[in-house]
Amino acid sequence: MVKSLDASSLGSRANTGGLPGAKSGQRGSAISVLGALLDRSLVQIADASSDARCFDRETIRAAADVWDNNTDPLFRAATASTRGQRERRALAALEWMADLGEERRSWMLEQASAAGYSLDELLTPAKPYTPGRDYLGHVMAPVTVMTPQITESVAVDYDLPSAEVRYLQVERVGIHLDGYLELAVPRSYPVDNGTSPETATLGIRLRDITEVRFDSHDARGAALRSEAAGVSVGIGAGGTLRAATADLSPDDRCWHLSAAGHRANTSTPPRDSRPARAGFPQKGRMGANATVAATLLHRAMLDIRMVRLPGRAPQVLVQDFQRAFAGAGEAILAAGAYNLHRRREAAFCRLIETWAGRGGPALADWFATVLRETSHQPEFLADLHEQARAHQGTDLPRQTTPDASVTPGPQEAELRLATYTAAHTRYGTQQNASALVHLAVPPHPETAEDAPWRLRAMQGIDPAHFQLETKAFQGAGHPHVTVDDNAAHHFVLHDGALDITSLNCSHDPS
């Protein structure tokens, strides 16, 4: 039986150097804050994935993304030989983490506070934001809040009445609806002679959406409005998106030639005068077992982060990963705090076994694969192979219906996400038209009554029609899925508030 390894299990043998568990608002040590931030990420991931009806892709993605390039600094700090070295390396790691941008820094302050720490005194003041330039020295379009002045500027630089919808996404995030709209917009300003750039793209990220009305048959033409009550984007003759706030981000390699680009050029400093980002904290060597543990955690976070891809989100084993690595921050600090190298390595070996044991059959094959890639062959590797083989073929059966005119579909569903992609070419690559929805569906009948709802994806290739209204997100409904005489699949929810017709439809039976 695998025993859990945490700070308490190490007892007095480990010099913990300030483990998480601070009183509210206390300064704490840098190493304890760093470990607490990891544990807060795992708590956020757990809360945002506990049930499909509250599945929050963005929270999960953001919490996992923190540890893409911060896992290694955490382990190097945790395995330093002395308390002073741990503190210096942890402080460098925190500075590196906070220097990514205002959003990351705000997340750190918020999560440190939730763990009972005050992080302000540990970090140097934030560097002021300065607009960027590309490798040619051309000023790049910034992300700007949608205001009357900004919407007027966009209307001057681009032919909005000729805009076409390339992509639309509306998603339930907490109690709100958020969305993203991508418009292909012809330029109203001249470009350099001899160039034939692709059509510019205007990205619009909407927060707290109050109204959605979109029909793919009416997706040409756009109008941007910003008023005291919020913002709106008119689409075609009758479509609209209304929200509390929105951000605009042009993807336009010729933006420096626009009127807004000319204005920004005078106030944007040269590339070599921008504040330099803190250097990556590379100091410190780790033992073999600590390196394997770092690799496992890093790979797990990368896999969790795959929820950022709407088509992949339902397949990511978020809850299984979270269960396996829960409390990793405190456990890593406890294992790394042993003064003797061999004891430290033995602690990380036990930690690896603890994580693999918690992962259970669902992650047995994943752990075995990653451990093989690290050339780490622990004694329990054979047990992982046995668990993986036993787990194969144990999935619950797919739901089916006797009527051949009806494709397999859930009897009850709550819409979590809906996306529409128009056929287009971008960066020389052809993108096919598609529609994708995420549905929260009740647990399989074979599972416990109190089992959480599952996240299920349904995708339509080359949709002939896509219609979406706000009502589609108002609670659970009974979807109607049929196939007509022309082999076209029809998916309807909430009396047509979501209505998709596609010649090729695939279902995720998970």
Side-chain angles (χ1 to χ4, degrees):
M1 179 179 295
V2 176
K3 294 183 179 180
S4 175
L5 176 68
D6 56 21
S8 60
S9 68
L10 293 174
S12 60
R13 295 171 300 170
N15 179 11
T16 57
L19 292 174
K23 297 180 180 178
S24 178
Q26 76 177 37
R27 182 178 185 274
S29 64
I31 188 65
S32 60
V33 174
L34 192 57
L37 288 178
L38 172 57
D39 285 338
R40 283 299 308 167
S41 290
L42 291 164
V43 168
Q44 283 191 301
I45 290 169
D47 292 344
S49 62
S50 60
D51 188 283
R53 290 168 293 182
C54 63
F55 194 84
D56 187 339
R57 279 192 323 120
E58 176 55 25
T59 292
I60 297 170
R61 179 211 64 78
D65 185 63
V66 174
W67 303 101
D68 183 0
N69 57 3
N70 290 296
T71 297
D72 188 73
L74 165 62
F75 273 82
R76 291 184 185 278
T79 56
S81 300
T82 66
R83 183 191 297 264
Q85 285 181 339
R86 285 195 290 274
E87 191 66 9
R88 286 190 294 273
R89 291 178 186 177
L91 189 57
L94 290 172
E95 289 286 1
W96 162 262
M97 186 186 295
D99 207 29
L100 183 65
E102 181 180 346
E103 186 174 342
R104 173 63 57 77
R105 190 183 185 96
S106 297
W107 176 88
M108 292 173 63
L109 293 171
E110 178 182 314
Q111 297 309 312
S113 177
Y117 293 106
S118 175
L119 188 53
D120 287 296
E121 297 179 10
L122 287 174
L123 298 176
T124 57
K127 298 174 183 176
Y129 169 78
T130 56
R133 294 182 182 270
D134 61 20
Y135 70 101
L136 294 174
H138 297 151
V139 66
M140 297 185 297
V143 177
T144 56
V145 177
M146 190 166 158
T147 63
Q149 294 77 17
I150 293 298
T151 57
E152 181 179 348
S153 174
V154 171
V156 169
D157 287 330
Y158 300 103
D159 182 9
L160 293 178
S162 299
E164 296 182 358
V165 174
R166 278 188 174 174
Y167 182 78
L168 171 66
Q169 173 181 303
V170 181
E171 182 171 16
R172 175 69 67 185
V173 179
I175 62 174
H176 302 290
L177 289 178
D178 287 354
Y180 180 73
L181 177 68
E182 197 169 271
L183 300 170
V185 286
R187 300 174 180 85
S188 298
Y189 60 88
V191 298
D192 294 334
N193 293 331
T195 63
S196 54
E198 291 183 337
T199 301
T201 300
L202 180 63
I204 307 174
R205 189 165 300 280
L206 303 111
R207 294 180 176 83
D208 196 1
I209 294 175
T210 57
E211 181 181 2
V212 178
R213 192 166 65 249
F214 175 77
D215 191 322
S216 61
H217 291 163
D218 183 26
R220 184 178 180 86
L224 310 183
R225 303 179 186 87
S226 176
E227 302 170 349
V231 299
S232 67
V233 181
I235 304 172
T240 189
L241 295 169
R242 299 185 189 277
T245 61
D247 294 335
L248 302 180
S249 55
D251 183 1
D252 182 3
R253 61 181 179 178
C254 295
W255 186 79
H256 61 284
L257 301 173
S258 67
H262 283 302
R263 291 193 298 270
N265 189 58
T266 61
S267 59
T268 302
R271 294 180 68 242
D272 56 4
S273 65
R274 298 188 67 194
R277 189 183 174 190
F280 184 74
Q282 296 177 319
K283 292 183 179 180
R285 297 179 60 185
M286 294 185 287
N289 290 339
T291 300
V292 172
T295 301
L296 286 168
L297 177 62
H298 182 244
R299 286 281 295 274
M301 288 300 191
L302 293 184
D303 280 13
I304 293 173
R305 193 179 64 176
M306 292 303 291
V307 299
R308 75 185 191 280
L309 302 177
R312 289 284 305 277
Q315 286 79 45
V316 180
L317 302 177
V318 179
Q319 277 283 291
D320 295 296
F321 279 118
Q322 188 280 328
R323 181 184 66 251
F325 292 93
E330 184 171 357
I332 290 166
L333 300 193
Y338 279 98
N339 291 325
L340 294 179
H341 176 76
R342 61 180 178 81
R343 291 187 176 179
R344 189 161 57 242
E345 280 290 275
F348 276 111
C349 184
R350 295 196 301 273
L351 182 56
I352 292 168
E353 187 173 0
T354 295
W355 289 344
R358 288 181 187 166
L363 291 180
D365 190 58
W366 182 89
F367 271 101
T369 299
V370 178
L371 288 171
R372 281 198 307 270
E373 292 175 0
T374 61
S375 300
H376 190 66
Q377 302 290 329
E379 294 180 359
F380 62 86
L381 190 58
D383 294 337
L384 291 179
H385 288 298
E386 289 297 329
Q387 290 185 49
R389 282 193 291 268
H391 187 61
Q392 293 175 358
T394 61
D395 293 338
L396 293 168
R398 302 185 183 187
Q399 296 180 4
T400 58
T401 55
D403 188 350
S405 66
V406 181
T407 62
Q411 299 301 308
E412 185 179 13
E414 180 178 313
L415 183 63
R416 299 296 304 174
L417 172 144
T419 72
Y420 168 78
T421 304
H424 64 277
T425 300
R426 189 169 190 183
Y427 304 131
T429 301
Q430 177 65 35
Q431 302 290 328
N432 296 324
S434 65
L436 173 71
V437 297
H438 284 177
L439 302 171
V441 299
H444 287 289
E446 295 87 345
T447 59
E449 293 184 1
D450 59 348
W453 282 38
R454 300 170 293 123
L455 192 66
R456 183 172 181 180
M458 299 184 69
Q459 186 168 20
I461 308 301
D462 194 20
H465 185 221
F466 180 95
Q467 179 176 304
L468 180 65
E469 297 177 2
T470 322
K471 183 182 175 182
F473 290 92
Q474 295 177 356
H478 299 282
H480 190 51
V481 187
T482 59
V483 180
D484 62 21
D485 295 338
N486 297 319
H489 294 68
H490 302 275
F491 180 87
V492 179
L493 182 65
H494 284 306
D495 300 322
L498 175 66
D499 190 339
I500 303 174
T501 299
S502 176
L503 295 178
N504 189 347
C505 186
S506 63
H507 307 262
D508 167 28
S510 62

